[in-house]
Structures are given as structure tokens and as C-alpha cells.
Amino acid sequence: MSPRLPLRSLRARIAVFFILLLVVVEGIVYALVSAGGERIAEQNMAEELLVGERVVRRLVDQNARRLTDATQVLAADFGFRAAVATHDIPTIASALRNHGARIDASVVMLASLDRRLVADSRHPERTGDDRFPLPTLIDTAAANGRAAAIVLLDGRPYQMVMVPVRAPLPIAWVAMGFLMDHGTAADLQAVSGLQVSLVSRAGDGHWSVLASTLPSSMVRSLTANEPRLEDIGRSATLKLDGEPYLSLMAVLGDSPEGRVSALLQRSRREATAPFDRLSAILGGVALVSVLFSIAGSVLIARSITRPVRLLAAAARRIRDGDYDRPVIVDQRDELGELAASFNHMLGGIAERESKILRLAYEDTLTGLPNRAMFRDRLRQTLRTAARARTPFAVMVLDLDRFQYVNDSLGHPAGDEILKEVAKRLKGTLRESDTVARLGGDEFAILLPESDPERVHRAGRRIVAALEPPIVLEGQPVDVSASLGVSCYPEHDADPDMLLRNADVAMHLAKRSGGEIALYDPSGEDGRRSHLSLLTELRRAIQDDELDLHFQPKLELRTGRIVRAEALVRWMHPVRGFVPPSEFIPFAEQTGYVRHVTRWVLRTVVRTIGAWHADGLDVTVSANVSTRDLLDAELPDLIASLLETHATPPGKLCLEITESGVMEDPQRALETLRRLHALGLRLSIDDFGTGYSSLSYLKKLPVQELKIDGSFVRHMADDEDDATIVRSTIELGHNMGLEVVAEGVETEAGLDLLRSLGCDEAQGYVISRPLPAPAFVAWLRERRARPRPAEGHASRVSA
Amino acid sequence: MAAVRVASAGTLSATVHDADGQPVAQAVVYARPVGHKAPAGPRRPARMDQIDKEFVPLVVPVQVGAAVSFPNKDNIRHHVYSFSPAKRFELKLYSGVPAKPVVFDRPGPVTLGCNIHDWMVGYIYVVDTPWFGKTSADGVASFELPAGDYVVKVWHPWMKAEPAAQHASVTGAQAVPVQFGLDVVQPPSMSKDE
């Protein structure tokens, strides 16, 4: 369940989604704020520079006004005017110095109206004809009555003002200048908040830094940037000492020596610092919130996936059949509900499965394991036994005559007996033993770790346990059972074979009348041949391997032959003659006897029909098995056969066994009535071996009664048998039946039967069963013979 | 020079106009005889009033040697001065009429100022001839003078350059017309503090 890709897991997907979402959002916010901050900082800087420029200009103007005022005071001084008017140069010079000193001017100059420098405080000694160095100043002053300008004098910047000296018309121009130095720059910086450098550009294009608030290293870098200074104009970024400055060049004044400008600069780093701090804070917030969201989404995802995993684990446990452990989810959310539903489902599955298991492995009537479960246990036991090399045994138990109980007392009674038997069986066995009901009245018992000795004891206990009669509605019912045992490892190592072997042994016990039989491998050959017999019997009918032999019945009173019994013979191509005793019971067991019966009936009716057509008048009996009597189609089949072969019904006699009638007396009686109605002759075979009551026999529409050969054969020497024969004959006669004795092998027997009043006899002494042609020949020959030649006949007639 | 005047006298009528042809007032027109010095003449005294903190009139022409009085008609004091080369003087703070008039003994323009009121400007134009006049508002100045040939000049405080002198021959009673074109520019005046 470990996923190859991390994103396969729900938890990771949830976490990754939210983290990515947050990162994207934070990223966008960060980018917007950063870009916005940068833009704002940029605008602020540009604005600051512009404001700074205005401030600087205003300051310069104010200075100029102040200076002008001071200069005007000087120019208005009467003495000064008198000195100027009188060209009193020494007086003029000293007045200039004096007044200059009053207002702290750096330079004071006087120009004549013809623009000559009359006096100069810088060069007191020099007077005369030098031209005034700032003619434009005079132009302005002449036009406006005053002038102010920032000029370059001797490579130094001055703020100059000029006013006329009036008397009262202008008679000269007086100029005063203030040197702009570092102090000026510092003042400008103080009011503008900017770095201020005063720079000049000489006529030859050479730039000089005249004063600056920048550190000297930056000033050097400024001069190194000379070509760039040219390009600054209203806005540019200069790198000073690696530090970027947004710069603005404000031209302050032009003069013949060059132009003076104020370079106003704002450190970009300082300007963006607040925004950088903001960005840093924002970045920190983003980082922290991402970390929190990672933690949070992992927690939430875990709260989702943990119960899901628990549920998945529980589902696997259910798959493996473990229903004992419910899922424990404490959450009260949807997953908690899911877990609760899951637990309900688990309970439902467990309950249904145990029910299904019971149905699949338990016999509902007795509560015992059923055949499937027995086989499971058997396999299990076999595995254990094979490993541990311990013996064990399998028993098959079948109740005797259970069908009879069911029929006579009803199915509910049968069920009660089965339950009681199950209880008693369980009571006799160990805990480790298994009793199962295989079906019907058949039980199986598994005895693990049991040697033959123990098996024998267990068998005896079981038989003993079943001995006390079971009381049903106050009525004691005797129950007995036949037990077959097969042992591991002696009898087989295959569970199915062990069970089958036990079954075989059980049938052996049943046939032999014993209660317990151990499986005998030597009996297998016969059984095996039985099995193959079935297929061969089927083929025999197809290939007409069966044949009918006829044994005549002697009418003792007249010595005539009017009847015969048809006996089926099987001439196997390989085995040779197969006696009916070998395949008829077997065919009865398997149900295949139906086909044999039909073949016999078809053949008999055809034969009788043929003989009748030939004028051979003989009644032939055919044996009908127990199962045939329960076959409702039998009467119709016979009727159609008789019709087909134009056989008079009276020529056909059906011999039925007493035990066959007793299997299902009601149905048998019904069938017999219908057969009787057809006009057939009916005979009870092997009378005396069954359990039928006389009152019942009386109801049967039969005309004949046959005494079993076993009594007849020994009646000469066995008094009891003779009594049975005699009383049977009497009984038959009393009931209005003709009595036939079979198995008559001696002349003495014939005589005895004749003396007892028996109606007919059948046996080797008269004739063995003959094939049809031989029988016809024998019969024709016998009928053709004169009756006196027959010794018995004379006696009979006597 | 009554004789001259008696012998034959005439009138010079000078018309002064500016570049636009407008009449120029307060222009001094004066004539010097050709061939001899002008006589000293009567040296008529003149007066330069100070009214409402202005010199009135703007220009006062006088002959060399004439005395000019500076009556102060305001109720405040004035301090009239001149640094002009033709006449330097100073009438320190005074009111009413100063005791002594100022005698202008050299020809040339004299610019008057007041040390108290910087905007006050007045002119005394000192000529070395007795024949002179000043244009009125119509730009005409007329004065009598003896017959003869004269060089006629004009002066005005606002003129940018002195125009060429004109020759005039005065013969009889008939007025001799003289025309001057004058480029005048009023200099920027200082605002008056009322």
C-alpha cells in the first residue's frame, strides 16, 4: 500500500494543493507589493527631487532678495552715493568692504555705467579699466532695477546681486556676491532632505564639483562620472561608490566662466529601504504562513487520511475474515459517521457469514455438520494425521429400515428419530470427534487419533447407545443401525476413498445383518466387477446378449404342462454365463432393473404371442421387481405390448416379490389392481420371506402363491420346512389361491407335494430352464407322448 | 543785448516730436549765435518747486549764472542734492524756501535728487545763452531773439542721443520754425512712496 509517487496519497495531495495555493497567492501579493513599493519609491524619489529643486530655488531666491535688500541699503547710502558720484575710489572701496562685511558678503564690486569694474573687494588694489566680468548681470539690473544670479567667478560659485547706485538716476552698479560653499550645500540639504552638490561646467565642458554634502569618496566618484553628469538632466541614476542615486541637475545660473548647477540626489537605497523592509516583513509573513499552512494541511489531511487508513485496514481484515475488531475513529465528523456505518456493516457481514456458514456446513435438522463440513474436517484430520503419523478412522452409519419408519409413522416422526440419533451419537463421542449427517438416515463419524482398538470400542458404544428404544408420542420405536469403518492409513489415504470405503463396509454390515463391519479391501474385486457390470448390462440389452429360458410348471393334479416361468439368462461374450443372482440385485440397486424388466416383458409377450399364433398354448410368468411395481407406466406398457403381439392377457403371469409389495404397499396395490384389470395372472413370489400381514395379502388381486425353493428343497428331511410348506399350501388354498412350489428336485418331493395338495411344481426334476426353441420342442414332444408313459401322471391320476 | 533785439528781433518757434511724431514736452531748445559768444544776458532766476514729493516742473532751463530757488511746498522736509558735474550741491533737510537760492554757474545738465525720496528726479539744464525755451505739452517752444544766424540745439532728459544741431536765420518779426525729431525713452522710475 506504499504509494510509489508521493502525490498518490490523499494526504499529500491535500497538503500540496493548499501549500501551492498559498505560495501562489503569497507570491502574487509579494510581487504586487514589491512592484508597487518600488513604483511608489520611484515616484517618491522623483517627487522628492522635484520638491527639493523647488526648495533650493526658493532658498536661492530668498537669499537673493535678502542680498539685494542689503545691497540696496548700501547703494542708497548718501555718503556712498556721494563717493561714487565723485569717483572717490578709495572711499568707494572702503565703503564696499564695509557694507560687504555688514552682511557677510564674499565679494562686492562696483561697475560703472559703461560697464567697467570700478572697484572689487577681492582685489582692492586693482581699479581702473577692467571690464566688469558679469555684463549680463548689468543687463538685467538695467532692465529691472535689480539683478540676481548665480555665477562662476574665478572657478567659484557665487550668488550675485546687483542694484544701481542712483543719484537719483543710476550712476553706477553695485554688485554683491556670496560664495556658495559646503555650508550652502549643507543648508540646502537641511531644507530639501537631498544630497546637494554644486557643480560647474566650464565653457570647455569640464565639470567640477564645487561643494557637496556627499562624502568625499562619492564626490570623487561623481567627478569620475563626468560624462554622465552631462546626461543627467531632469532624471538619471548615478552610481556613486557602488551606491545608486537618483539625480536631478538643476541649472542655477550661467556666467561667462561657465554654468553653475545644483546636483540634487536621493539615495535609492534609502528611498526604497522602507519598502524593502516591508517586502522583507511580507516575505517573512509569507514564509511563516506557508510553514503554518504546511503544518495545518498536514494535520487536517492526517485527520482525514488516518481514519481512511484505519477503514482500509479494517476492510482488509474483513477480507481476511477477521470480524472481531471494529474501526475506532473518535472524530465526530463525516468520517466518524462513515466509521460507524462501517462497523455496522462489519457486524452485518459477520452475522450473515456465520449464518451462511451454518447453512453451508450444518445440517439444519439435527444441527450436526453436514457432508461438506465433514469432508473439510476429514481433509484437515488427514493432513494432521499425515504429518503426525497418527491413525484415524471414518465411520458411516445407516439406520436400518428407516424408510419403513418414515412410511408408517410419517416424516415428522422420522425427523424426531434422526434428531434423537444425532443426540445419542454425539453423547457417545469425544469432543474431538465429529459426527455429521450425510443425508437421509446416513451419518458419518470421524475419529481422529484412533487405532482399531479404540474404533472398535467406539463402535460398540454407538450400537449400545442406539439400543434403548426411542419413544415417539408415548410409542417406543426400536432403532438399529449398520456401521461401516475404514481406517487411515490402512485402507486409503484419500478422504473421499476413506468415506466410500466406510460406506462399502456399512453396506456389507447391512447385508450380512451384522452391526459393525470393517472395510475389507479384498471385497473390492467383486464390487469393481459390479460397476463394470452395469455398463456391460446396458450393452447387453442393446446387443441382445440377454436371452430368456423357460422352465415348465407341472400341474400336479393332471400331470400336464400348462404354465412356464421365463428366466433371464445373460451369455456374456467374455465371462460366459452370468447368473441372474449376480446382476439382478445389482440392477435393482441401481435402478437399471427397469430396463431389464422391460426387455423381459417385451420378449415374453412377443414369445407368447408367437406361440399362441402357432397354437402352442402355454401361460408364461415373468419376474417383476420391486421398483417395477412402483412404476405407474407399467400397466400401460404391458397393455400396449399385449396388443402389439396379439397376445391374450391371460397367457401372461407376473411374479412379484412379497418384499417388493411391502416397500410401498399403497402404490403397489394400485399397480397390481390395474394389472389385474388388464386380465393378467398375478403371482406372489418367495412367499414367506417377507413381513406382510395376511390381511394385507388378502387385499392383493393375486391368483397364485409361490413357495420359496429353500423351504421346498429341504422339506424331505426338515420337519419345520415341511410344516411351512404344508401350512402355506393350506393357507393359499384357504385364500382361494393356487399354490406353486419351486425348487423341486426329486421325485419324492413331487410325490409329497402332490399328497399335500399343491397345485403345481417347478424344478429340475421336471426340467431345467430351456431356451425357447428347446422348450417348444420339449413341450411338443411331451404333449405328443401318450399320457400313460408318464409315471407320475399315472400316479396323479390314481 | 537790447540793441540787437531793438535793431531787429525775431521769434524762433521750435517744434519737438518723437519718433512717432508725438509732441515732446519739457524739451529745452536753445540757440547760440554763429560767429560770436552769446551775451551773458539777464540771468533770470528760476524756481524748482517740490510739490507732492515731486520736482515741479521736471525740467527747468536756466542761463549760466542764474540762481534757482527750491521752494518746498510739501509739509515734509526734503534733502535736495545733485552730484552732476555741472553743479554739485546739497540742500540738507529743509522745509519752506531755503534761505539762499542755488546759483548754477556752469553749463550742462544737473540732475536733482532728494536723499529722502529716491524717486524724486528733476533737472536743471544750464545753457550758456540767453535764448532758450522749453516745449509745452504741444511740443512747441517759442522765444524771441535778435536777428542773426543761430545754431539751435535741443535737450531732453530722456533723449537717447542728442540730435544734430539746426541752423536758423532770424531775420524779422516772422517766426522761424525749427523742427526736431527726438528719440525719448522714459527711464524706469522708482515707485513713489505715497
Side-chain angles (χ1 to χ4, degrees):
Chain A
M1 193 56 189
S2 65
R4 255 187 305 124
L5 289 171
L7 282 188
R8 283 267 176 84
S9 91
L10 188 58
R11 185 171 68 183
R13 279 210 298 267
I14 293 171
V16 165
F17 171 76
F18 282 110
I19 291 160
L20 278 185
L21 184 69
L22 194 72
V23 165
V24 167
V25 169
E26 294 281 6
I28 289 171
V29 168
Y30 183 80
L32 285 177
V33 169
S34 293
E38 209 159 294
R39 206 169 50 245
I40 291 168
E42 201 69 40
Q43 285 172 355
N44 282 357
M45 267 188 290
E47 189 67 27
E48 280 176 59
L49 285 181
L50 289 175
V51 169
E53 187 196 7
R54 281 201 295 275
V55 167
V56 165
R57 286 194 189 285
R58 174 64 65 88
L59 203 65
V60 165
D61 281 352
Q62 280 175 356
N63 280 343
R65 207 164 297 138
R66 192 167 53 82
L67 262 178
T68 308
D69 290 348
T71 311
Q72 268 173 344
V73 169
L74 168 65
D77 183 84
F78 193 74
F80 180 67
R81 280 195 285 189
V84 170
T86 55
H87 269 267
D88 181 353
I89 299 302
T91 310
I92 290 171
S94 81
L96 287 180
R97 271 201 304 280
N98 181 46
H99 281 82
R102 274 191 199 166
I103 57 167
D104 223 7
S106 316
V107 57
V108 188
M109 289 185 287
L110 189 76
S112 62
L113 291 182
D114 60 359
R115 305 190 171 202
R116 296 204 177 270
L117 182 60
V118 178
D120 186 341
S121 66
R122 294 177 300 163
H123 311 287
E125 75 292 345
R126 213 164 66 193
T127 56
D129 295 337
D130 287 347
R131 291 195 64 79
F132 186 74
L134 304 166
T136 51
L137 203 61
I138 295 179
D139 291 341
T140 313
N144 303 332
R146 57 168 60 194
I150 289 171
V151 301
L152 207 54
L153 278 180
D154 296 340
R156 306 174 82 188
Y158 288 92
Q159 174 152 33
M160 296 295 297
V161 296
M162 176 173 268
V163 295
V165 180
R166 292 169 182 277
L169 290 180
I171 52 169
W173 304 102
V174 62
M176 284 207 193
F178 284 80
L179 179 64
M180 299 176 86
D181 55 7
H182 186 77
T184 315
D187 287 347
L188 292 174
Q189 183 191 30
V191 292
S192 67
L194 300 171
Q195 297 288 353
V196 180
S197 303
L198 295 169
V199 296
S200 68
R201 184 183 181 278
D204 60 3
H206 178 72
W207 287 85
S208 312
V209 177
L210 309 169
S212 179
T213 55
L214 291 169
S216 56
S217 62
M218 287 193 179
V219 172
R220 273 197 298 281
S221 128
L222 203 58
T223 357
N225 265 324
E226 251 185 47
R228 284 298 313 275
L229 290 174
E230 194 73 48
D231 304 331
I232 289 175
R234 304 298 298 165
S235 174
T237 297
L238 286 189
K239 278 214 162 177
L240 302 181
D241 238 8
E243 178 114 22
Y245 278 88
L246 187 65
S247 312
L248 181 150
M249 190 69 90
V251 176
L252 296 179
D254 279 312
S255 58
E257 271 190 42
R259 166 179 287 183
V260 179
S261 301
L263 177 60
L264 305 178
Q265 291 178 304
R266 179 79 168 100
S267 163
R268 279 184 171 279
R269 203 165 51 95
E270 282 173 25
T272 56
F275 294 100
D276 291 344
R277 253 196 319 281
L278 183 64
S279 289
I281 290 169
L282 200 67
V285 168
L287 189 66
V288 168
S289 58
V290 164
L291 289 178
F292 270 105
S293 77
I294 288 173
S297 49
V298 163
L299 282 178
I300 292 173
R302 181 175 295 164
S303 78
I304 294 170
T305 55
R306 199 186 67 92
V308 169
R309 282 204 202 148
L310 286 175
L311 288 170
R316 279 197 298 281
R317 286 203 300 275
I318 291 175
R319 185 193 62 199
D320 298 341
D322 175 2
Y323 304 119
D324 298 334
R325 280 186 293 163
V327 195
I328 298 164
V329 173
D330 300 332
Q331 286 167 235
R332 301 179 67 125
D333 53 13
E334 293 88 337
L335 288 165
E337 281 175 33
L338 178 61
S341 307
F342 201 85
N343 287 335
H344 281 133
M345 181 184 81
L346 188 148
I349 289 176
E351 199 174 300
R352 271 196 302 286
E353 190 181 284
S354 74
K355 202 176 199 169
I356 290 167
L357 273 179
R358 260 204 320 281
L359 288 175
Y361 286 106
E362 200 179 282
D363 174 48
T364 45
L365 177 64
T366 59
L368 293 178
N370 63 8
R371 182 186 286 272
M373 189 163 181
F374 185 80
R375 282 176 61 167
D376 277 1
R377 297 250 177 108
L378 179 54
R379 284 209 179 94
Q380 225 168 350
T381 307
L382 185 68
R383 274 200 295 277
T384 315
R387 264 202 309 277
R389 297 179 187 283
T390 49
F392 72 90
V394 178
M395 276 186 188
V396 171
L397 179 149
D398 190 84
L399 297 180
D400 297 331
R401 294 184 307 283
F402 180 70
Q403 187 61 43
Y404 175 67
V405 172
N406 242 356
D407 288 344
S408 50
L409 299 175
H411 282 279
D415 289 349
E416 284 305 311
I417 287 172
L418 288 173
K419 282 199 255 181
E420 179 61 23
V421 168
K423 208 169 85 186
R424 292 191 187 180
L425 287 176
K426 272 205 281 196
T428 62
L429 296 167
R430 298 178 302 182
E431 191 69 19
S432 58
D433 298 338
T434 300
V435 187
R437 183 176 167 223
L438 299 183
D441 58 345
E442 202 172 35
F443 294 84
I445 297 150
L446 180 63
L447 303 165
E449 294 177 27
S450 296
D451 52 19
E453 176 61 25
R454 190 184 165 261
V455 173
H456 191 70
R457 279 204 310 276
R460 297 263 39 108
R461 267 210 309 283
I462 288 166
V463 170
L466 294 179
E467 243 157 41
I470 294 168
V471 180
L472 285 179
E473 294 168 358
Q475 200 85 48
V477 178
D478 278 320
V479 176
S480 67
S482 305
L483 269 153
V485 181
S486 76
C487 296
Y488 173 86
E490 296 94 316
H491 295 150
D492 216 301
D494 177 78
D496 288 337
M497 287 310 287
L498 281 168
L499 196 57
R500 193 201 75 113
N501 291 346
D503 197 52
V504 169
M506 182 273 290
H507 279 289
L508 181 69
K510 191 152 274 197
R511 272 203 302 280
S512 66
E515 288 163 329
I516 303 175
L518 189 64
Y519 173 67
D520 180 6
S522 62
E524 269 307 271
D525 292 343
R527 178 158 283 271
R528 291 231 172 82
S529 66
H530 272 313
L531 280 175
S532 60
L533 216 54
L534 180 61
T535 32
E536 288 180 20
L537 183 58
R538 191 173 289 147
R539 205 198 57 230
I541 291 173
Q542 271 172 14
D543 298 356
D544 224 10
E545 279 174 20
L546 296 182
D547 194 12
L548 280 183
H549 284 202
F550 298 88
Q551 190 170 36
K553 293 177 181 174
L554 177 68
E555 197 174 61
L556 292 172
R557 193 168 49 81
T558 60
R560 287 193 308 159
I561 303 293
V562 291
R563 300 200 183 90
E565 181 179 3
L567 296 163
V568 73
R569 288 291 179 271
W570 184 6
M571 211 54 191
H572 193 280
V574 180
R575 299 173 195 235
F577 176 71
V578 181
S581 61
E582 273 201 14
F583 68 87
I584 290 300
F586 168 71
E588 277 180 343
Q589 259 181 32
T590 57
Y592 197 73
V593 72
R594 236 170 116 245
H595 300 278
V596 179
T597 305
R598 286 178 186 214
W599 182 86
V600 169
L601 286 172
R602 247 188 342 264
T603 314
V604 168
V605 172
R606 192 179 61 228
T607 309
I608 301 171
W611 288 346
H612 180 71
D614 274 2
L616 193 62
D617 186 22
V618 64
T619 300
V620 181
S621 0
N623 288 286
V624 175
S625 85
T626 310
R627 284 175 182 270
D628 293 328
L629 278 186
L630 305 178
D631 183 359
E633 293 171 13
L634 188 68
D636 295 336
L637 175 76
I638 292 171
S640 89
L641 280 174
L642 290 172
E643 198 178 9
T644 306
H645 299 287
T647 307
K651 295 293 173 195
L652 180 62
C653 173
L654 296 184
E655 291 189 11
I656 55 177
T657 59
E658 186 194 344
S659 58
V661 174
M662 292 317 293
E663 286 260 318
D664 187 348
Q666 212 53 48
R667 273 173 76 184
L669 185 59
E670 174 64 27
T671 309
L672 288 177
R673 281 195 179 136
R674 286 174 63 196
L675 291 172
H676 178 67
L678 282 177
L680 301 184
R681 186 183 173 86
L682 296 174
S683 166
I684 299 263
D685 209 354
D686 56 19
F687 181 79
T689 56
Y691 300 87
S692 42
S693 68
L694 283 174
S695 65
Y696 180 70
L697 278 180
K698 213 170 163 240
K699 288 185 195 163
L700 296 178
V702 295
Q703 291 82 42
E704 189 181 293
L705 204 146
K706 266 185 122 171
I707 304 170
D708 197 76
S710 57
F711 303 117
V712 174
R713 257 189 292 278
H714 303 110
M715 67 181 176
D717 356 285
D718 190 326
E719 197 55 40
D720 287 348
D721 284 356
T723 308
I724 288 171
V725 169
R726 187 171 53 244
S727 55
T728 304
I729 291 169
E730 271 175 25
L731 180 70
H733 284 165
N734 286 344
M735 289 171 68
L737 304 176
E738 288 182 26
V739 180
V740 182
E742 58 181 359
V744 186
E745 287 170 359
T746 58
E747 283 295 337
L750 267 182
D751 289 342
L752 182 58
L753 286 170
R754 196 177 285 125
S755 69
L756 289 175
C758 186
D759 298 294
E760 281 177 299
Q762 182 184 347
Y764 271 50
V765 70
I766 300 155
S767 168
R768 64 181 176 91
L770 296 168
F775 174 74
V776 171
W778 181 85
L779 191 59
R780 285 193 194 283
E781 191 264 341
R782 185 184 164 99
R783 285 191 177 169
R785 233 187 304 161
R787 200 150 303 183
E790 183 77 48
H792 305 289
S794 58
R795 228 181 293 166
V796 167
S797 50
Chain B
M1 289 279 174
V4 175
R5 203 180 303 155
V6 172
S8 65
T11 302
L12 188 79
S13 179
T15 308
V16 182
H17 56 85
D18 64 10
D20 300 331
Q22 298 294 315
V24 176
Q26 303 282 343
V28 176
V29 180
Y30 60 98
R32 279 200 196 106
V34 177
H36 60 91
K37 259 188 94 177
R43 295 179 192 125
R44 285 187 306 265
R47 200 179 72 208
M48 178 63 96
D49 290 329
Q50 294 115 65
I51 302 169
D52 197 17
K53 288 176 264 178
E54 295 285 1
F55 285 108
V56 180
L58 177 68
V59 176
V60 173
V62 295
Q63 193 181 357
V64 173
V68 179
S69 66
F70 291 88
N72 180 356
K73 305 260 174 91
D74 290 329
N75 54 359
I76 52 162
R77 295 182 187 207
H78 290 294
H79 176 171
V80 177
Y81 69 87
S82 164
F83 295 125
S84 298
K87 181 65 182 178
R88 287 193 181 136
F89 73 94
E90 194 177 347
L91 295 174
K92 290 188 178 164
L93 292 170
Y94 68 92
S95 47
V97 182
K100 280 195 195 167
V102 178
V103 176
F104 291 82
D105 43 14
R106 289 207 328 236
V110 176
T111 308
L112 303 174
C114 173
N115 197 28
I116 310 293
H117 310 104
D118 279 351
W119 64 88
M120 289 172 66
V121 180
Y123 302 93
I124 306 290
Y125 195 72
V126 185
V127 292
D128 50 359
T129 171
W131 303 298
F132 58 91
K134 193 175 75 170
T135 56
S136 53
D138 58 2
V140 177
S142 296
F143 50 88
E144 289 186 357
L145 69 179
D149 289 339
Y150 293 89
V151 175
V152 182
K153 291 188 174 182
V154 69
W155 180 91
H156 191 279
W158 298 346
M159 72 183 181
K160 289 174 81 178
E162 191 178 328
Q166 305 237 2
H167 286 269
S169 291
V170 178
T171 51
Q174 209 165 4
V176 179
V178 179
Q179 298 265 337
F180 285 103
L182 204 57
D183 237 352
V184 289
V185 179
Q186 185 173 5
S189 58
M190 297 179 73
S191 59
K192 181 177 170 184
D193 171 27
E194 293 294 344

